[in-house]
Amino acid sequence: MADFEEEFEKIYIRYFNDVFLFLKKLSKDESVAEEITSETFFKAMRSINNFRGETDVRVWLCQIAKNCYFSCLKKQRHIEHIDDIDFPDNKDTCEEQILKQSDAMQIHRLLHNLAEPYKEVFMLRVFGELSFRQIADLFQKTDNWACVTYHRARNKILTQMEDNHE
C-alpha cells in the first residue's frame, strides 16, 4: 500500500500543475480549477487500476478533469432548475452550493457527527479556506492525503444529505 501511495504521489506532484492549468483555462476561474483539480486526482486515485497505459497519464488525467468539470456544471444547472437557486455566474464552488442549498444547522449536525480526521479536514478546507498543502502541513501528511481525506469527508456529507432528503 505504501508503494502505491508513493507512486501516486509522484503522479500528483508531476501532473498537478498541468491539470490545474488545463482546468483554469477551461473554467476561467482559479477557485473552480483548484476544486476540480483535487477532485480529479481523487477520482484518478480510485480508478488508477483501470488505467491501461494506452494514453499519456497527462491526457488521462485531463480527461478525468474535463468530465469532473462538466459534471459540476451539470449539477449546478440541475440544482438551479429544480430549486430555483440563484447562482449568479455559476462560479460557486461545490461547498458553497452545499451551504446555499441546505439548512446550515443540518450541515453542522452532519459535521458534528463526522469522524476525525474527516471533520477537521473538511472544516479547515471549507470554513478555514486552507489549501491542501496547508492542511497537510498541519497533520504532517502529504498534500495527496489532505486531498483524499477532504473528498472522502465531502462524499460522506453529500451521501448523508441525500439520505436525509429521500
Side-chain angles (χ1 to χ4, degrees):
M1 186 68 164
D3 290 337
F4 168 76
E5 289 176 5
E6 289 175 18
E7 285 302 312
F8 195 80
E9 189 169 348
K10 288 177 187 175
I11 291 170
Y12 179 85
I13 291 167
R14 182 168 182 188
Y15 297 108
F16 178 88
N17 199 47
D18 293 335
V19 173
F20 173 75
L21 292 174
F22 169 75
L23 284 164
K24 187 176 172 185
K25 184 173 182 173
L26 187 64
S27 69
K28 297 173 180 52
D29 185 306
E30 191 167 331
S31 63
V32 168
E34 184 177 289
E35 178 64 33
I36 304 289
T37 300
S38 63
E39 186 174 340
T40 297
F41 280 95
F42 178 70
K43 287 187 176 190
M45 187 180 72
R46 286 190 353 202
S47 63
I48 192 77
N49 293 334
N50 298 331
F51 179 66
R52 297 185 194 118
E54 295 170 354
T55 62
D56 184 64
V57 173
R58 181 181 294 115
V59 172
W60 178 66
L61 290 168
C62 287
Q63 186 64 38
I64 294 171
K66 183 179 73 168
N67 291 338
C68 289
Y69 175 68
F70 289 135
S71 291
C72 188
L73 288 179
K74 192 174 178 180
K75 285 178 190 174
Q76 286 176 343
R77 284 190 213 113
H78 180 68
I79 290 169
E80 268 186 24
H81 182 261
I82 290 177
D83 299 328
D84 292 322
I85 294 175
D86 182 28
F87 296 116
D89 52 11
N90 282 343
K91 291 185 180 176
D92 293 86
T93 66
C94 293
E95 290 72 29
E96 289 168 333
Q97 291 173 33
I98 291 170
L99 292 172
K100 286 181 180 181
Q101 73 177 342
S102 301
D103 175 44
M105 281 309 294
Q106 178 190 11
I107 291 178
H108 287 293
R109 272 189 220 102
L110 293 173
L111 278 171
H112 178 73
N113 294 323
L114 199 60
E116 293 295 350
Y118 302 110
K119 176 173 34 177
E120 188 172 0
V121 169
F122 186 86
M123 291 177 75
L124 289 169
R125 179 75 177 158
V126 175
F127 302 117
E129 298 181 359
L130 296 183
S131 70
F132 291 121
R133 178 169 301 277
Q134 291 169 316
I135 294 168
D137 288 345
L138 285 173
F139 283 89
Q140 298 179 342
K141 303 277 188 177
T142 65
D143 294 6
N144 187 49
W145 175 89
C147 176
V148 168
T149 304
Y150 164 76
H151 280 285
R152 286 180 180 163
R154 184 173 147 228
N155 287 340
K156 287 174 187 280
I157 292 169
L158 289 171
T159 299
Q160 288 178 355
M161 287 177 66
E162 289 170 3
D163 291 347
N164 290 342
H165 281 78
E166 289 179 358

